[in-house]
Amino acid sequence: MSAKANILDQIVQKKLSEVAVQKMKQPIYQVMSEENFKRKCYSAKESITKAGASGVIAEFKRQSPSKGVINGTATPNEVVGKYQQAGASMVSVLTDESFFGAKAEDFDTARKTLQIPLLRKEFIVDPYQIYQSKAMGADVILLIAAILTPQRCMDFAFLAKELGMEVLLELHDESELEHVNKFVDLVGINNRNLKTFVVDTDKSIQLASKLPEDMIRVAESGLSNSGIVKEMRDKGFQAFLMGEYFMKQESPGDACKELIREISNK
């Protein structure tokens, strides 16, 4: 088993134990009484496909298991607002504390700051987390094919839609295409090989060609300059999830603004 697969397995095991504790602390009926549970979600599909949209999904991320600390000093209130001003179509915020260094207040701060769709970037392994995402103010949830069966993926996506949220499904290879279902709104293709860490955009382009024609395609990982983003856009991708590239700059918001300027040819 690869180091990356080991990390993924560790994350899932940790997540299952975290969720068990969270369920005891705050049962679902209490989660459903949160104020955000009543709010109407922003549509990522609309935000990404509207005329003139950048398609950039700008991510707030402090660290990762593979890269270590990327930016240990940035705070969401100074970063995500600038992402929005820069013209991002959507913002993604990590909520995993153990492996990605998220803080409890990160997502709440982002929700209060933004008037564009907000993705909860989390390892969802239990329906409880979907109710929790709605209560936190998420507009979109992430489902990762590598940690879910196709049936579970469909059940989770259906529940998210019932609660008024949209779904981004992340794929890594062709064997996961069976996870795509009618309740999925966006399909993200991770350019980074889970086993070798190598970024291969050609493989992602091939995989994207096998998706339903009307599916919104999101390129993820290894997007390190405007040239790669333009290339992926020319190959049919409409959205681009970028975190590390922005977060390692002194001002993530300014880096986002500059990239959007470059891909817009302004």
Side-chain angles (χ1 to χ4, degrees), residues 42-71:
Y42 296 117
S43 170
K45 286 196 293 188
E46 286 178 18
S47 187
I48 288 165
T49 58
K50 71 181 181 184
S54 69
V56 170
I57 303 172
E59 188 161 86
F60 180 85
K61 175 165 70 172
R62 288 193 172 85
Q63 66 186 56
S64 75
S66 59
K67 299 288 183 177
V69 176
I70 299 163
N71 190 327

Side-chain angles (χ1 to χ4, degrees), residues 184-203:
V184 167
D185 302 281
L186 319 163
V187 172
I189 298 178
N190 199 318
N191 302 308
R192 187 171 281 124
N193 186 301
L194 272 181
K195 296 187 174 118
T196 64
F197 295 105
V198 173
V199 172
D200 184 355
T201 53
D202 288 340
K203 192 178 174 192

Side-chain angles (χ1 to χ4, degrees), residues 69-92:
V69 176
I70 299 163
N71 190 327
T73 58
T75 58
N77 58 333
E78 66 185 4
V79 173
V80 300
K82 283 192 173 181
Y83 280 162
Q84 180 172 272
Q85 290 166 14
S89 293
M90 181 157 85
V91 167
S92 167

Side-chain angles (χ1 to χ4, degrees), residues 11 14-15 18 93-103 121-123:
I11 291 171
K14 176 74 173 170
K15 203 57 58 181
E18 282 177 9
V93 174
L94 271 292
T95 59
D96 176 80
E97 186 179 342
S98 301
F99 296 88
F100 288 86
K103 294 181 179 173
K121 190 88 172 285
E122 182 55 273
F123 297 83

Side-chain angles (χ1 to χ4, degrees), residues 127 148 174 193 215 217:
L148 299 169
E174 211 169 304
N193 186 301
M215 185 64 72
R217 293 152 170 78

Side-chain angles (χ1 to χ4, degrees), residues 79 94 130 209 226 237:
V79 173
L94 271 292
I130 302 173
S209 70
S226 57
F237 285 85

